[in-house]
Amino acid sequence: MTLSKMSWRPQYRCSKFRNVYGKAGGRERCYDSVPVTRSVNDSHFCAVNPKFIGVVTESAGGGAFIVLPLAQTGRVDPLCPRVCGHRGNVLDIKWNPFDDNIIASCSEDASVRVWEIPEGGLRANLTTAARELYGHSRRVGLIEWHPTAVNILISAGYDYKILVWNVEADEAVQVIDCHRDVVLSLSFNTDGSLLATTCKDRRLRVIEPRSGAVLQETHCKTHKVNRVVFLGDTKRLLTTGSSRWNNRQIMLWDQEDLSEPLVQEEVDGLSGLLFPFYDPDTRMLFLAGKGDGNIRYYEIGSDKPCLHFLAEFRSHYPQKGLGVMPKRGLDVGACEVFRFYRVVVIKALIEPISMIVPRRSDSYQEDLYPMTPGAEPSMTASEWLSGANQGPVLMSMRASYRPQPRSGLRASGGGSRPERKGLIVDGYDLLDNAPPKTENELLRMFYRQHDEIRRLREQLTQRDLRVRQLELELHNMRNNAKNA
């Protein structure tokens, strides 16, 4: 009789993002004294790109929002210029993904407007929009730019309609009229060929936006769905909402079959709305609750269980909305993989939160930054409207990487040796034969050498396996020859 041993060690899942942590920006990186709007609309009220940050503000006699250069941090002047052309409260703003100077806004005055921000920011109040789009009969609560086609914008109003706009022609090219209540959220897939929507009638729909045809639809009886997001190229959807006992929950769906959810998980018993954000490059999902002070993050896997909880960022102050920096605006040298801008109404503050993967090496991390969508459109509006589908134009993040300078080198002048311009690799001058002078430099060299040794060992193991395979093949060939 033999006894099988059971291992006492717990089963750990290998992941490079297991130690991701959130780092709040210091006071010098925040935007202070921002008069954030008191609107109760469920939008983010903040939009960010590598040049500007836009925040919806409280104003009398119409709607307005401020646009500040990203580097203009600190206290915001109460008399700073605003974008104030709407006749009603501004409900949502979104930057054009292909032009950092173009921003769209929607309002309670049933209009959608597109604004052109001058270089360097506003110097006076902007009251004249570049485009004014009228087509809704009631207020407009949501807008979204197309991810790959230029000048395509969609809007959802309280008249239960979704309009697809060709901004260049100032016309609505499609009216999607399949909802029986207010549309709560919109999400495009990677190439913009599908549109997912959630509605107050508790239905989740997948729509072909050019024809308005509903491809998939489900009635979430036990899940009051609020927000939806496409999970990149995985052909999956994720929704956030609440159960029949008002517990916040998330559900994972197959976009081609919405009959049953793939995964259902309860988050907590709070009542605030959960905003989902997905990063297709790292396959990380972020959940930020309206009125919460924390941001949870998960990793999406291909096998069940598909949702793997990693950790959460916590703060004492609740957030009303969040803006997300595009990937091309991140700090690659600090291993930053995601960045939020939290709207903290209690302190009238916009606070940046960086999600960082801790790495010992200060060299460029290829595995953290694969090719990512850039600022160049892959199609024109007419090409997309004619039925073409094309993925985004990808760019490399290596161009934005700047190695840290050597800490042993000092500025020239005053008796110090002059700065040399040699061959720089990982922050070191290879033409300089002087040894490293600081403990940090020695540690970096030590870790690089260990990484190189580990890589060479892996290559040696692979070659040993290859040699064994060839020996077995040779042995089999000789046996076959003898038998013949």
Side-chain angles (χ1 to χ4, degrees):
M1 180 177 178
T2 59
L3 297 176
S4 59
K5 289 185 178 181
M6 295 183 64
S7 176
W8 59 268
R9 293 189 178 94
Q11 296 296 322
Y12 290 102
R13 189 179 60 87
C14 181
S15 171
K16 69 182 76 172
F17 304 110
R18 189 173 57 191
N19 298 317
V20 172
Y21 66 95
K23 181 181 179 181
R27 199 72 180 182
E28 68 280 357
R29 293 185 58 198
C30 297
Y31 303 85
D32 202 357
S33 302
V34 181
V36 182
T37 178
R38 293 194 293 267
S39 173
V40 295
N41 190 58
D42 290 331
S43 61
H44 299 300
F45 303 112
C46 180
V48 192
N49 67 20
K51 280 187 179 181
F52 301 105
I53 178 172
V55 183
V56 181
T57 59
E58 188 67 22
S59 61
F65 60 95
I66 61 173
V67 173
L68 301 173
L70 202 65
Q72 190 178 324
T73 56
R75 184 179 178 86
V76 176
D77 186 357
L79 299 179
C80 68
R82 286 171 166 79
V83 180
C84 50
H86 283 286
R87 296 188 298 274
N89 291 332
V90 176
L91 300 181
D92 196 11
I93 55 175
K94 292 288 171 58
W95 289 103
N96 189 328
F98 310 120
D99 191 336
D100 290 338
N101 294 77
I102 299 295
I103 187 171
S105 63
C106 61
S107 168
E108 290 182 349
D109 61 7
S111 71
V112 178
R113 304 192 183 198
V114 180
W115 313 84
E116 185 173 357
I117 308 300
E119 288 291 339
L122 298 175
R123 296 174 179 83
N125 287 344
L126 183 60
T127 58
T128 304
R131 305 283 180 181
E132 296 185 8
L133 309 175
Y134 294 95
H136 290 280
S137 58
R138 298 179 65 186
R139 59 180 176 171
V140 186
L142 296 170
I143 51 175
E144 196 72 41
W145 290 96
H146 195 277
T148 60
V150 67
N151 289 326
I152 294 294
L153 179 71
I154 62 172
S155 61
Y158 279 66
D159 54 1
Y160 311 159
K161 295 180 182 179
I162 296 176
L163 300 185
V164 181
W165 299 93
N166 184 349
V167 176
E168 190 175 7
D170 290 342
E171 63 176 358
V173 294
Q174 183 58 253
V175 178
I176 302 174
D177 192 11
C178 60
H179 300 87
R180 296 192 292 269
D181 211 324
V182 177
V183 178
L184 299 177
S185 69
L186 306 165
S187 177
F188 274 113
N189 66 341
T190 303
D191 60 1
S193 60
L194 298 175
L195 177 69
T197 67
T198 58
C199 183
K200 257 190 175 180
D201 61 5
R202 295 197 175 192
R203 292 185 180 272
L204 170 65
R205 297 175 175 89
V206 176
I207 302 170
E208 208 291 323
R210 284 166 291 208
S211 63
V214 179
L215 305 180
Q216 293 285 332
E217 180 178 354
T218 185
H219 185 200
C220 307
K221 296 180 181 179
T222 61
H223 177 65
K224 185 179 179 182
V225 61
N226 287 322
R227 288 292 184 270
V228 62
V229 63
F230 271 100
L231 300 183
D233 294 327
T234 62
K235 293 188 177 181
R236 293 176 181 174
L237 294 165
L238 184 127
T239 59
T240 64
S242 57
S243 66
R244 61 179 62 180
W245 296 279
N246 286 332
N247 292 327
R248 294 195 296 191
Q249 60 182 190
I250 54 179
M251 284 190 177
L252 196 65
W253 306 81
D254 183 356
Q255 73 179 33
E256 298 177 353
D257 183 11
L258 299 181
S259 58
E260 290 292 335
L262 301 175
V263 177
Q264 176 178 337
E265 182 175 327
E266 290 198 359
V267 179
D268 55 32
L270 300 179
S271 59
L273 180 68
L274 279 177
F275 294 114
F277 304 91
Y278 181 69
D279 181 13
D281 296 340
T282 60
R283 296 203 170 201
M284 290 179 64
L285 171 73
F286 300 89
L287 295 180
K290 184 177 181 180
D292 298 354
N294 60 349
I295 301 174
R296 298 176 177 88
Y297 34 102
Y298 301 74
E299 189 172 5
I300 304 296
S302 56
D303 301 327
K304 289 187 177 182
C306 302
L307 291 170
H308 305 283
F309 177 76
L310 296 174
E312 65 177 321
F313 167 82
R314 295 185 179 182
S315 173
H316 297 293
Y317 303 103
Q319 61 229 0
K320 183 172 184 176
L322 301 102
V324 175
M325 173 64 72
K327 214 57 182 271
R328 52 194 173 89
L330 300 181
D331 185 1
V332 178
C335 295
E336 184 184 29
V337 294
F338 215 79
R339 189 192 303 169
F340 292 98
Y341 284 80
R342 297 175 65 237
V343 179
V344 183
V345 180
I346 293 178
K347 303 186 69 176
L349 191 72
I350 309 297
E351 179 187 33
I353 306 294
S354 298
M355 296 297 169
I356 295 175
V357 180
R359 290 289 174 91
R360 292 174 177 175
S361 176
D362 59 354
S363 59
Y364 180 72
Q365 306 295 318
E366 289 279 359
D367 58 330
L368 298 183
Y369 302 103
M371 298 291 285
T372 191
E376 183 180 350
S378 56
M379 289 184 297
T380 63
S382 58
E383 289 174 344
W384 181 75
L385 292 172
S386 63
N389 292 321
Q390 193 169 345
V393 178
L394 302 180
M395 59 168 284
S396 174
M397 296 287 288
R398 183 181 285 274
S400 59
Y401 171 71
R402 296 293 181 270
Q404 297 295 325
R406 281 187 58 181
S407 56
L409 286 177
R410 296 174 295 177
S412 60
S416 61
R417 69 176 185 174
E419 182 181 359
R420 300 187 56 188
K421 297 181 179 179
L423 178 61
I424 306 297
V425 176
D426 290 340
Y428 294 95
D429 191 349
L430 298 184
L431 300 183
D432 189 355
N433 296 323
K437 293 181 173 57
T438 66
E439 183 180 358
N440 289 334
E441 292 179 6
L442 290 171
L443 286 173
R444 284 197 291 268
M445 291 179 63
F446 173 77
Y447 289 130
R448 278 201 301 273
Q449 289 172 358
H450 270 259
D451 291 340
E452 183 68 17
I453 291 172
R454 184 167 56 251
R455 185 182 64 82
L456 292 174
R457 283 177 177 171
E458 291 176 355
Q459 289 184 359
L460 184 61
T461 303
Q462 293 175 359
R463 291 178 181 177
D464 288 342
L465 291 175
R466 182 58 180 163
V467 168
R468 292 177 185 175
Q469 291 175 358
L470 292 175
E471 289 176 350
L472 288 174
E473 292 178 2
L474 182 60
H475 182 69
N476 292 335
M477 291 175 62
R478 287 175 178 172
N479 289 338
N480 294 334
K482 288 179 180 179
N483 295 332

